[in-house]
Amino acid sequence: MPSNLTRLRALSAQFAACPMRQVKADRPVWIFGAGQFGRDVCAVLQKQGFDVRGFVQTGADVPQTMGLPIVDWQHWASLSHPIQLVVGIFNRGMPFDALEGIARAAGALDIFMPWDIYSQFEAQMGWRYWLGASQLLLGQLSAIEGAYQLLSDEVSRRCLVDICAFRLGLNQGYSSFQHPDNQYFNALTLNALGSADVRFVDGGAYNGDTFAEFCSLANVTQAYLFEPDEDNFRALVRNASRSQSETMCLPLALADSYTMLKFAAGAGEGAAISDKGAVHVAAARLDDVLCGRNVDFIKLDVEGAEAQALNGARQLIHRSRPVLALSLYHHPQDLWTLPALLASMCENYSFYIRQHYFNSFDSVLYAIPR
């Protein structure tokens, strides 16, 4: 069996041996899934002159959307004209290999996955989490190998290679893979913290669910909880008030300076930092908010601003040497840029990657002080 490093170095040749798959304009198209991502795909295809006939989904509960029919698989299977089927579902909830299995069981032969569509229509699709043009990843294999060399165990190194292969369309079976480790609070992090009192920073605290889980597993004495969304923040304050910990809830995003950030809604998932965003939120540096204080654990799931948040926490990280856990899937380049950035900031640390949900969503980079 080839080593993980050999597999990584072979990705370019492996990809070159696979023919590029593109939706053809001279044949009708149906879209599997009528959610936001599916509708966005439909709009892009129609604007490019493709003949989109409708949507197919399991248990169609409404008859149409965008002026097109929504049919169930039995109806779709009865159609006799040449059909191209585009998978218009893009989230962590259902693995792509299972979705493809549903389509093939209904008789689909010509199936296009989200990475096929994105490679063909990158400019029109815009930001879509980890989706990226194949040449972006292939052009950064040396940087990815650098990230690979930073990782501290073979589980992490294999995970990195598997994610790369999956996102190139070379390892679809990985879409249903999850590590058994609990997200954020697992043997990597909890063993490093031990039984001591813990001071916790949660960047992207949502409604406090992650904080509540951590309190059930460790003695969290202080918590700094950052959440810029107004509705989420109200829920966070309400839920955090039930904790026995000393908590500070702040309606802020995290960045590398005090600034206003723009958020854009995502398709099939949440939001992300974007110059085209319509929602404005205030952001601050952890080094400013927690000036002179020490923390033990920093978790960052900040919608694509992980690098900015890290750069805004350099003094805090240097002073405290905390355990860190940060999301690795908001941008395709996070796979190699975030490990390199953390390594430049964290001397004498071990680095790990774990995959916590389907379709390479919720991959997390862990940094553990030695």
Side-chain angles (χ1 to χ4, degrees), residues 201-265:
V201 171
D202 192 348
Y206 185 48
N207 63 7
D209 56 346
T210 301
F211 169 57
E213 180 186 2
F214 193 25
C215 287
S216 72
L217 298 169
N219 185 28
V220 182
T221 56
Q222 292 180 322
Y224 306 94
L225 310 175
F226 295 82
E227 175 52 56
D229 180 88
E230 291 183 12
D231 292 337
N232 292 342
F233 184 75
R234 283 192 288 270
L236 172 65
V237 171
R238 183 171 60 251
N239 293 330
S241 68
R242 305 185 184 116
S243 168
Q244 299 301 309
S245 306
E246 177 187 336
T247 59
M248 181 182 296
C249 300
L250 300 107
L252 295 169
L254 295 175
D256 52 6
S257 64
Y258 181 77
T259 186
M260 297 299 293
L261 296 178
K262 297 179 181 179
F263 276 79

Side-chain angles (χ1 to χ4, degrees), residues 63-76:
Q64 65 175 15
T65 185
M66 300 178 67
L68 295 170
I70 302 177
V71 304
D72 60 22
W73 286 107
Q74 185 176 2
H75 182 132
W76 184 86

Side-chain angles (χ1 to χ4, degrees), residues 21-23 30 32 37 41 45 84-90 94-104 108-121 125 130-132 166-173 175 359:
R21 302 197 70 246
Q22 293 193 336
V23 183
W30 283 77
F32 178 6
F37 185 78
V41 170
L45 290 173
Q84 300 174 104
L85 184 69
V86 172
V87 174
I89 299 171
F90 183 65
M94 185 71 167
F96 288 129
D97 53 357
L99 294 174
E100 183 180 19
I102 291 171
R104 294 208 180 279
L109 298 175
D110 205 2
I111 302 173
F112 297 85
M113 305 305 294
W115 48 85
D116 298 317
I117 291 296
Y118 195 84
S119 292
Q120 189 171 354
F121 301 109
M125 292 293 294
W130 53 260
L131 282 179
F166 165 69
R167 294 180 181 179
L168 289 169
L170 301 175
N171 184 9
Q172 192 151 307
S175 62
N359 300 329

Side-chain angles (χ1 to χ4, degrees), residues 295-351:
V295 300
D296 304 295
F297 192 166
I298 298 175
K299 167 253 172 181
L300 297 176
D301 184 359
V302 288
E303 308 303 343
E306 283 76 16
Q308 297 97 308
L310 285 172
N311 279 319
R314 285 181 175 272
Q315 296 170 27
L316 176 64
I317 292 171
H318 179 74
R319 181 173 65 248
S320 301
R321 288 182 55 78
V323 170
L324 294 109
L326 56 147
S327 296
L328 200 61
Y329 63 96
H330 287 107
H331 301 289
Q333 63 270 25
D334 287 347
L335 278 179
W336 56 92
T337 59
L338 290 181
L341 176 60
L342 262 189
S344 73
M345 299 170 61
C346 299
E347 185 177 357
N348 200 25
Y349 267 66
S350 298
F351 301 98

Side-chain angles (χ1 to χ4, degrees), residues 72-201:
D72 60 22
W73 286 107
Q74 185 176 2
H75 182 132
W76 184 86
S78 70
L79 302 174
S80 59
H81 51 69
I83 293 173
Q84 300 174 104
L85 184 69
V86 172
V87 174
I89 299 171
F90 183 65
N91 57 46
R92 58 169 62 79
M94 185 71 167
F96 288 129
D97 53 357
L99 294 174
E100 183 180 19
I102 291 171
R104 294 208 180 279
L109 298 175
D110 205 2
I111 302 173
F112 297 85
M113 305 305 294
W115 48 85
D116 298 317
I117 291 296
Y118 195 84
S119 292
Q120 189 171 354
F121 301 109
E122 177 186 8
Q124 294 80 14
M125 292 293 294
W127 168 81
R128 304 286 167 170
Y129 274 82
W130 53 260
L131 282 179
S134 55
Q135 293 308 315
L136 170 65
L137 194 152
L138 293 171
Q140 293 294 326
L141 286 178
S142 61
I144 295 171
E145 184 170 335
Y148 177 99
Q149 300 292 356
L150 293 171
L151 299 174
S152 298
D153 69 350
E154 206 60 33
V155 173
S156 301
R157 291 186 281 268
R158 177 173 180 175
C159 183
L160 178 64
V161 178
D162 283 340
I163 291 174
C164 290
F166 165 69
R167 294 180 181 179
L168 289 169
L170 301 175
N171 184 9
Q172 192 151 307
Y174 185 75
S175 62
S176 59
F177 177 78
Q178 295 173 277
H179 283 115
D181 311 68
N182 190 43
Q183 188 172 11
Y184 304 131
F185 313 124
N186 50 51
L188 294 173
T189 56
L190 295 176
N191 289 347
L193 294 168
S195 59
D197 295 347
V198 178
R199 295 154 295 184
F200 179 48
V201 171

